[in-house]
Amino acid sequence: MAENSASTGTPDRDRPAGRSRLLWFGIVVLGVTVAAATVGAYWNISDARHKLEADIAQRQSVLTLARVESVNLWLDSMTEQGARLINADLFRLFASEVNQLDGDVGLLLNKPGQGPGQDADKAPQSGKNGGKPGATQGAGAGDDDISQLAAQLPLMRNLLREFVTYSDFVSGRIVNTRAQTYISTDATPVPLNEDQQAAIRTVLETGRMRFSHARSTQTGLVLDLFMPILPPQFEAATGARPVAVLMLSKIISGKVGEFLAASPLVEKGQVSRLVQRTPRGFEEIAPSAQEGLKNVPAPAFAETGDMPFMRRVSVDSGTQVYSTGRKVPNLEWWTVEEIPADLALARLAERERTVVGLAVLCTLLLVVMLASLWWWLVGREQREIARDFKALFEVIDDQKQLLDGINSAMTHPVSLTDDQSVFQYVNRAFARAVGRSPEELLGMDMQAVFGFDTARRITAPDAQVLMGGDPATVNEVVYLQSHKRHFQIVKAPLFGPDGRQVRGVVSVFHDITDLVEAQERNRRVVQQTIDALVRAIEQTDPYLAGHSRLMGIAASLTARGMGLGERDVATVEAAANLSQVGKMFVPRDILNKPGKLTAQEKQEMERHVEYTRDVLSSIEFDLPVLPAIIQMNERQDGKGYPEGLAGEQISAHARILAVTNAFCAMLRPRSYRPAMPLEKVLDALESQTDSYDVNVVHALRDVLDTPAGERLMGQIGGPAAGGANGEA
């Protein structure tokens, strides 16, 4: 009885200590909750502020983008108007002939019969006689030529005036390569200022049109457009140097006002600005101001281009604002949206009061809940702990019996080996597979059961599993009872009681023999199909078949050179061999046409992708062969076909096919050109970064320096003939 009393007295003495620990636990929980409520309130307020700023940022981003797009459209319309003039053969021919005067436009303007005011910007005469009139007549220009040009000058001046009036420009002039005006819409042209002369020099050097910054005049804000005039036999893409520059001026006060007009997205208090950079600093373009331009400090976008959304000082004052700026392409203009920070954050005050009140209320509710929980837990009896332990033991025992039954009933062979590959456990399925009893296998090692070579392959991942505790999977061929079987073996660690140390490896053998054999049969069928299609191509057009084979060799070598796996190599090789299937259905007269294809012929030519899809879509390749062929004609800049994919949207297989297709085609002769030299082909591919992946081209160049590449060049170097439009 005494012993029983002692045993029952111990829990009674422990109860006060347990309650004390529970009390301290409640205090800690309460403290943590108060801290969590404080942090939560702060986070909620910060989140609301973040969302508000995100909303402002989105509105300003949309506004700046819309205004930039409006400016771009307007600038494009001005450029299109000017392009009609500079592309006119009459002006280009006249400017080219005037350019033959070697800059001495005084010879032209001083001819009898010319109107006044056409030499306002004329530089001193050039020539060997000190610039006297008539001393020099330009490079190869005689008196008759100058007289003819002088006779045409009034007509050209009238045409320029009509164009300026029709296109709503305020003035226009044409200057030569020495910035000398020889045609102007003004009776007395105003001399060019330093900024205009610098812009003209830039256009003459680069051959590209440009806009000046806005300038203030008596009639309002004016923007100048400078456009190069090329000789009539040249296009802009050829890189020819301009022979003259067309300068057009337009009043933009009203247009700037339209750009900065109010929008439904503009919030109360928000200000829209237009800022420009000049050689003298930054100016705000403000048509409503007296001068139209206001000097402002260098904004945040002075060195970085666009001005990201953030809180900063206003452009024209010391006020804190939220602002966003976006640069106008091809023009030193920025559109800026600003809203005062205090005005934007005013709506957060009510949200802050609500969140703080809810945090205090939640804390009080938790105090009440913890107090109630304390009183409920104090009345619990210790015997509940014993019942819990008993129930836990019963669950563990039931789970052990369940796991033993599952292992015994599993159809997949399962084994447990120690760090020496000695069997510690095998299920019945494993014993049946190796033709031994479970009792006989215990204590044997892998080598005794499977043989030395097979055991070494099967146990290769065991060291990694034992050291790192990570599962591993290996596929192996195993001969069991004189039968070849394919197994996928999944290996997992068996941890000790501490849950950290690995004491063995559990191996589950999945028999995948049927799957492997089915895949092998499918591979053979696909290969036979590929061979049949290649033979069909050879019978239809031997050149296409020869191109496909060479392209397949080049593509596989390039893929290996890029470090791709065998599956990728097989993909590009099969795709290359089948890449010309669709062209079998393209009419021969289009495929072999030596000249340039018409738009309709080009459209019919590009249908070879549809034909390829129709022929190959029903074949199960088990490799991404068809997508690679379909995407082979896409370009890096998105201007290819059929889907207009660009960059990384195009698969690596297709990018390799595109490069090797063009490579093999350019190295071989065509009906309209001879074969191109190797270095010229590689340089051409590397320069066309808008069409081809330069990394693939570099890999191809490296491969060609190998013996395999030399053998490929030996095959390509043989005689070949083909249609003009059959490849690339």
Side-chain angles (χ1 to χ4, degrees):
M1 294 293 294
E3 183 178 353
N4 292 339
S5 298
S7 63
T8 57
T10 301
D12 292 336
R13 289 194 298 269
D14 290 342
R15 283 197 187 102
R19 294 194 187 100
S20 178
R21 289 193 297 270
L22 187 60
L23 178 61
W24 280 109
F25 174 75
I27 293 174
V28 171
V29 171
L30 181 60
V32 171
T33 303
V34 172
T38 303
V39 172
Y42 175 78
W43 177 85
N44 190 281
I45 294 172
S46 299
D47 182 64
R49 183 184 185 124
H50 174 73
K51 290 180 179 178
L52 176 62
E53 291 176 345
D55 179 67
I56 297 174
Q58 184 178 9
R59 288 172 175 268
Q60 291 187 351
S61 176
V62 172
L63 279 171
T64 55
L65 180 61
R67 298 192 196 282
V68 166
E69 290 297 329
S70 298
V71 174
N72 276 338
L73 291 174
W74 175 62
L75 295 178
D76 289 344
S77 67
M78 289 178 61
T79 304
E80 291 176 1
Q81 290 174 335
R84 289 197 294 269
L85 184 67
I86 65 172
N87 290 329
D89 291 339
L90 182 62
F91 275 88
R92 294 175 68 176
L93 180 60
F94 185 80
S96 180
E97 292 177 347
V98 172
N99 188 55
Q100 299 299 319
L101 298 178
D102 196 20
D104 198 356
V105 298
L107 298 175
L108 172 66
L109 299 176
N110 291 332
K111 279 291 179 181
Q114 296 308 307
Q118 295 305 318
D119 57 350
D121 300 317
K122 182 177 67 177
Q125 301 277 344
S126 63
K128 296 181 180 179
N129 296 326
K132 296 180 181 180
T136 300
Q137 298 177 357
D143 287 338
D144 293 340
D145 296 333
I146 297 175
S147 298
Q148 292 178 3
L149 292 176
Q152 297 175 13
L153 195 59
L155 171 63
M156 304 304 295
R157 188 182 306 124
N158 290 334
L159 291 176
L160 180 60
R161 285 197 185 106
E162 292 177 1
F163 170 79
V164 168
T165 302
Y166 173 78
S167 302
D168 197 28
F169 288 98
V170 66
S171 66
R173 66 174 69 186
I174 297 178
V175 300
N176 66 355
T177 55
R178 293 189 179 184
Q180 298 172 333
T181 300
Y182 59 87
I183 300 179
S184 174
T185 59
D186 297 328
T188 303
V190 178
L192 298 172
N193 58 38
E194 293 182 0
D195 294 341
Q196 292 170 333
Q197 293 179 13
I200 290 172
R201 286 194 296 270
T202 301
V203 174
L204 290 172
E205 292 172 359
T206 63
R208 298 178 179 178
M209 73 90 185
R210 65 167 296 168
F211 291 92
S212 70
H213 55 268
R215 54 189 174 89
S216 179
T217 65
Q218 294 180 351
T219 57
L221 294 174
V222 174
L223 183 67
D224 297 324
L225 168 62
F226 302 87
M227 303 188 74
I229 300 178
L230 300 176
Q233 68 270 29
F234 292 100
E235 299 293 335
T238 65
R241 295 187 63 84
V243 296
V245 176
L246 170 66
M247 172 182 165
L248 299 171
S249 302
K250 182 181 280 286
I251 297 177
I252 63 171
S253 301
K255 201 66 180 180
V256 171
E258 294 179 12
F259 296 149
L260 301 179
S263 168
L265 294 177
V266 175
E267 297 185 83
K268 182 180 179 181
Q270 184 166 320
V271 179
S272 302
R273 304 182 188 277
L274 190 61
V275 179
Q276 71 172 356
R277 177 162 53 192
T278 72
R280 293 163 294 282
F282 286 87
E283 298 175 336
E284 181 181 357
I285 304 175
S288 59
Q290 182 176 2
E291 296 297 330
L293 299 172
K294 296 191 300 183
N295 292 327
V296 296
F301 49 71
E303 300 296 337
T304 60
D306 289 346
M307 184 168 67
F309 173 81
M310 65 179 298
R311 183 169 176 168
R312 56 171 64 87
V313 177
S314 174
V315 169
D316 66 344
S317 67
T319 307
Q320 286 287 318
V321 297
Y322 286 106
S323 62
T324 302
R326 193 181 300 271
K327 187 179 182 303
V328 177
N330 300 321
L331 190 61
E332 293 293 298
W333 284 11
W334 286 263
T335 62
V336 181
E337 297 293 329
E338 296 181 346
I339 185 170
D342 54 355
L343 180 63
L345 298 176
R347 69 183 76 170
L348 284 179
E350 182 64 27
R351 177 66 174 269
E352 292 177 354
R353 290 192 294 269
T354 302
V355 170
V356 171
L358 288 175
V360 172
L361 179 61
C362 290
T363 302
L364 293 177
L365 288 175
L366 183 64
V367 170
V368 174
M369 292 174 61
L370 286 175
S372 301
L373 180 62
W374 161 261
W375 291 110
W376 180 74
L377 290 176
V378 166
R380 302 276 297 183
E381 296 292 340
Q382 293 295 326
R383 62 177 177 270
E384 293 183 358
I385 298 176
R387 287 201 301 268
D388 291 341
F389 275 112
K390 181 179 179 181
L392 180 61
F393 174 78
E394 292 174 352
V395 169
I396 292 174
D397 186 62
D398 291 342
Q399 290 180 347
K400 180 179 180 302
Q401 294 180 14
L402 176 61
L403 290 175
D404 289 342
I406 291 174
N407 282 334
S408 299
M410 284 184 63
T411 58
H412 295 299
V414 179
S415 68
L416 169 63
T417 55
D418 59 14
D419 56 354
Q420 301 298 321
S421 299
V422 176
F423 291 106
Q424 303 297 315
Y425 169 81
V426 296
N427 67 349
R428 292 190 180 90
F430 187 92
R432 287 194 300 269
V434 299
R436 300 174 184 266
S437 65
E439 294 77 12
E440 182 183 0
L441 290 169
L442 297 182
M444 297 178 65
D445 60 12
M446 283 281 187
Q447 183 175 343
V449 176
F450 294 106
F452 177 78
D453 290 336
T454 303
R456 184 179 59 180
R457 297 196 307 271
I458 294 176
T459 59
D462 289 5
Q464 175 185 348
V465 176
L466 290 168
M467 291 180 61
D470 296 324
T473 301
V474 61
N475 293 336
E476 288 296 340
V477 177
V478 179
Y479 285 88
L480 296 177
Q481 303 182 49
S482 302
H483 293 285
K484 180 181 178 181
R485 309 299 296 176
H486 294 268
F487 283 101
Q488 182 182 70
I489 307 172
V490 180
K491 294 177 174 289
L494 177 66
F495 292 96
D498 59 358
R500 295 190 299 271
Q501 183 178 1
V502 181
R503 69 177 189 180
V505 178
V506 178
S507 301
V508 181
F509 293 72
H510 297 272
D511 191 340
I512 58 173
T513 303
D514 294 339
L515 176 61
V516 171
E517 291 178 351
Q519 290 177 342
E520 180 62 23
R521 289 193 300 271
N522 183 63
R523 188 195 65 78
R524 289 196 297 268
V525 171
V526 170
Q527 186 59 48
Q528 292 170 359
T529 303
I530 293 175
D531 294 341
L533 290 173
V534 170
R535 287 194 298 271
I537 296 174
E538 290 177 342
Q539 294 177 1
T540 303
D541 191 333
Y543 172 76
L544 291 180
H547 177 82
S548 299
R549 286 194 295 272
L550 293 175
M551 180 180 164
I553 298 173
S556 61
L557 290 176
T558 303
R560 287 194 173 92
M562 296 175 65
L564 300 182
E566 288 302 318
R567 183 176 177 85
D568 296 312
V569 173
T571 298
V572 298
E573 185 174 9
N577 284 324
L578 296 174
S579 61
Q580 310 303 315
V581 167
K583 293 179 181 177
M584 296 167 54
F585 303 96
V586 176
R588 297 292 98 184
D589 56 341
I590 295 178
L591 192 63
N592 298 318
K593 182 178 179 181
K596 184 177 180 180
L597 298 178
T598 65
Q600 184 177 1
E601 290 172 339
K602 183 178 179 182
Q603 184 178 7
E604 178 62 28
M605 181 68 188
E606 293 178 354
R607 291 192 63 191
H608 73 86
V609 177
E610 301 176 17
Y611 301 142
T612 300
R613 183 185 287 110
D614 293 341
V615 173
L616 302 180
S617 59
S618 61
I619 302 176
E620 294 291 339
F621 287 102
D622 195 31
L623 293 170
V625 172
L626 183 56
I629 299 174
I630 297 301
Q631 298 178 13
M632 185 179 73
N633 297 284
E634 302 287 359
R635 290 178 44 170
Q636 293 294 300
D637 59 1
K639 295 182 180 179
Y641 64 92
E643 299 179 4
L645 304 180
E648 294 300 322
Q649 294 177 324
I650 308 171
S651 70
H653 307 134
R655 297 200 296 272
I656 293 173
L657 293 178
V659 170
T660 53
N661 181 41
F663 172 76
C664 293
M666 287 190 284
L667 277 176
R668 307 180 76 192
R670 292 290 185 272
S671 60
Y672 60 92
R673 64 158 175 81
M676 296 174 61
L678 175 61
E679 271 309 312
K680 187 174 181 180
V681 170
L682 294 175
D683 291 342
L685 292 174
E686 288 178 341
S687 66
Q688 298 181 43
T689 56
D690 56 346
S691 297
Y692 305 111
D693 187 341
V694 69
N695 295 322
V696 178
V697 181
H698 291 166
L700 176 60
R701 182 185 286 272
D702 294 339
V703 164
L704 293 177
D705 292 333
T706 65
E710 294 177 359
R711 290 193 296 272
L712 170 63
M713 289 304 302
Q715 297 182 54
I716 296 179
N725 301 299
E727 303 297 335

